[in-house]
Amino acid sequence: MGIHWRAGILLFLFVLSGSGCSPDSREAPEPQLKMYTNPITLADEWGDYGLGDPFVFAYNGEYYLYVSTRDTDSGVKVWRSENLVDWSYEGLCTEEPVTMGAYAPEVRYWNGKFYMYTSPAGQGHYVLESDSPTGPFQVATGNFGRTIDGSTFVDDDGKWYFYYAGTKGIQAAPMTDPLTLAEEEYQTQAYMGGWTEGPTVFKRGGKYYMTYTGNHVFSNGYRVDAAIGDSPLGNFAGFANNPLLLGTEGATVGVGHNSVVRGPDLDTQYMIYHNLEGHGVVGPLRHMNIDRIVWNGERFSVWGPLSGPQPMPALPAFAERFGSDGALKDWESAGSGKWSVNPGEGLLAETEGGEHEGALLLAKPQTQENYTAEFHVQVKEGVSAGAVFSYKDKANYGTVLLDRTAGEIRVEVRRGGKIETTESAVLPKNFDIGQMQNLRLEVQGDNVRIYVQEMQILQLKLPKHAGGGRIGYAAVEAKARYGYVAFSNEVDGSGVQKAYAPLPGVIDAVHYAPTDVQTDTEAITLKPDGGGGYTLADLGAGTTLGYRVNVVDSGGYSLHLRLAPGENGVKGRLLDGGKEIASFEEEAPTGQNGAWRTVSVHGVNLESGLRKWELELEEGTMDLDWIKAGLYTPLEPASDDFEDGNVFGWSRYEGDWSVKDGQLRASSLQPGKILYGDYGWTDYSVEVDLTVPEEGGQAGILIRATEPANGMELNQNRDDFLRGYSIYLEGQHIYLVKHNYNTEPLADVPYAMPLEGEWVHMKVLAEGTHIAVYMEGGDEPVLTFDDRSEEPWLQGKAGLKTGETASRFDRVDIKPAGAQ
């Protein structure tokens, strides 16, 4: 099987291989990983209401889940988990009357207290307070308004911010303390062109990130967008690939209102969100979903929404909760001091001595070169306590201490028995070292990033790599209490390289698995892609890239690669467990070297399960952006002249469609959208007779349409709820636009139309990324466009679309691209 491009376009051969194995074939992997499946239901959830607006946060090594309360009930339910999937019900954490219909409760820990923010049936906000994440929470404020879906964020300087839904997007307000909002309000610019709610804000690499949801909870097109900003109060710019999370048909629809939490491996972030299952007795029936967030530079994506089996969130390499005296068997003490375990309090330390005399307690397991470690420390009395990292011996290690007397955090790194590096920072004035606090260390080469309660306080640049070693706790002239401690040999999102990317889906090229290949990964170059992320650059002959994939269903797939061939082209192959499944050979035309192309092969048979792929380059060079896989459906020629008086096989989403006198008709009362075919269709043509639209109206063809929803219902008033291309007539022009729950103009051309209401014939051909429009049976296209963007639409249904006009359609013909 091959793809043949027009003269002047990139010559590309990407062929299916035979069933034989290569000489170096290896068996397909069969990893023994525990799996889970979305959506997640819980036995004690609200009946006929489910788990809407799920919020999960971590405290002292455990996760706590809170969901919206049914409108007819008071109280907020809470569950506890150690792994994000297995949950135990902890009961009602509050029964306060103001929690009648408590919407979107969120909880934040600060200085020994837990603060819950919730909106009673969407009517303003209350704050409730507790000494425990499981309650009881008691009302601490009156109703201070600010609409619905309140969420908090604490910046690195200890300043608090409150986010909530507004009429023109997400609004923000500074907070003077956990219970008090300032009077100012700011428009963050995070807006979805309709009702926008459910904000979540977090910080990474000095940038502020927000996720948010819209437009209506009962719409299949309910979805999640993301934005990035340089300030917590405004100018958030939406991601170029929004929607971030979307599902309109199939097992998971109406996805949204998420929270974001770091997983058990201390490195991977997860998006927790709900899906719509229909109308319950007193509101929407929803359940919870958990999918992985993956990073590429300054941008992230979500491997979801998923409804098939996927591996459980990875656990840390080592963890200890100090639940009994026996916990100390895996630890060794050094220096002066007394260490003990109280099952009700955790680990306790009591030390005395001079300024630099203290006690260390070291875990026996050792980290690798790069790692993330988490600690929980409370300086109850005395001077300082904290963490030990990269401990090799008594002359080579580092400490991070919270100094209660000075109100600061202090880091010391010893090499050869001498202090090589010391740095300190004053902690925010509203931060109480006398309460249990979370420390997180990210050790990566010669960089050490230190966070306290998710605030990045210090970043060290060491003379040499910190390296691996043991971790532990430290105390200097203090009575201290310690909680959960763990480390993972992943850092800064590196866990994605061991994860299994779900297919159908997209794999960023940079997410290769170094441990699965023999290539010298230090020789692989990253290149900025202009959008905050990276591609792989200058991959040469002999390079082998490993990718771990989770194929949800066995069957035929279309594989797509976005690559830029070098000056001598490129030749390579794709293997699954050592068995060749596809090969490609790419020649770059003179003068177009380095230009990005998306190349495809259809009908590749993939086996379900957790697989290990290898992409081998045999000749030439190339840059690589991503690999995409989608279910493939061969297209048999189809036609409809509507003489039977019905629209069987067509799916209507918007508009008033009818069949009369052997014609498909759309009224002018509202925009219309109707689709035909299969989402696995790839290269094909659509031709149709249609009437010239009225002045100001539009009528035309949809190609490669996926994720459709009715955008005109529920007061959303949007006609662009789909992904796909629209080619339409308007005035004396033909337009090509791209839809992704927005409308992006791509190309247009003047065309002399007959009078309104008269018939014309239009044909649209899509091959690869190339789109051509023909009129009145002509052999030459009147409009052509090659979508070289980072996200071309490559598969989907055909359809018809109208706007602001009464239109008629007849003689629809759909053919495979090769049957022209």
Side-chain angles (χ1 to χ4, degrees), residues 72-272:
T72 54
D73 293 78
S74 296
V76 174
K77 294 189 173 187
V78 60
W79 290 261
R80 185 199 309 256
S81 174
E82 292 183 1
N83 60 15
L84 284 179
V85 175
D86 299 313
W87 296 91
S88 62
Y89 182 54
E90 300 293 323
L92 292 172
C93 61
T94 182
E95 297 184 68
E96 292 277 11
V98 300
T99 59
M100 172 74 74
Y103 287 0
E106 295 198 2
V107 173
R108 181 172 292 275
Y109 172 81
W110 189 254
N111 291 340
K113 296 288 186 180
F114 297 86
Y115 298 93
M116 177 183 288
Y117 304 82
T118 188
S119 177
Q123 304 298 314
H125 288 89
Y126 290 87
V127 185
L128 292 83
E129 186 179 84
S130 176
D131 294 325
S132 165
T134 58
F137 283 87
Q138 298 179 330
V139 175
T141 70
N143 189 329
F144 56 85
R146 307 297 173 102
T147 66
I148 189 175
D149 289 353
S151 182
T152 60
F153 166 72
V154 180
D155 208 347
D156 296 339
D157 57 5
K159 293 182 180 179
W160 282 58
Y161 300 90
F162 190 76
Y163 301 86
Y164 50 97
T167 56
K168 290 296 181 179
I170 302 302
Q171 297 184 177
M175 303 180 72
T176 57
D177 59 57
L179 302 175
T180 311
L181 270 66
E183 294 183 1
E184 308 97 282
E185 295 184 86
Y186 297 83
Q187 293 287 350
T188 66
Q189 311 304 317
Y191 184 48
M192 300 179 73
W195 179 251
T196 306
E197 61 187 16
T200 289
V201 174
F202 61 95
K203 194 173 184 181
R204 186 178 190 270
K207 299 286 186 179
Y208 300 86
Y209 294 87
M210 183 190 297
T211 60
Y212 45 100
T213 295
N215 291 128
H216 197 286
V217 70
F218 277 114
S219 171
N220 280 15
Y222 197 62
R223 60 203 182 278
V224 177
D225 277 7
I228 183 173
D230 294 319
S231 161
L233 289 175
N235 296 320
F236 279 87
F239 277 20
N241 64 333
N242 281 333
L244 182 73
L245 196 65
L246 172 69
T248 66
E249 295 186 349
T252 307
V253 303
V255 297
H257 200 119
N258 72 279
S259 54
V260 174
V261 70
R262 200 175 307 277
D265 69 352
L266 314 179
D267 174 65
T268 305
Q269 289 176 295
Y270 289 87
M271 182 166 284
I272 321 292

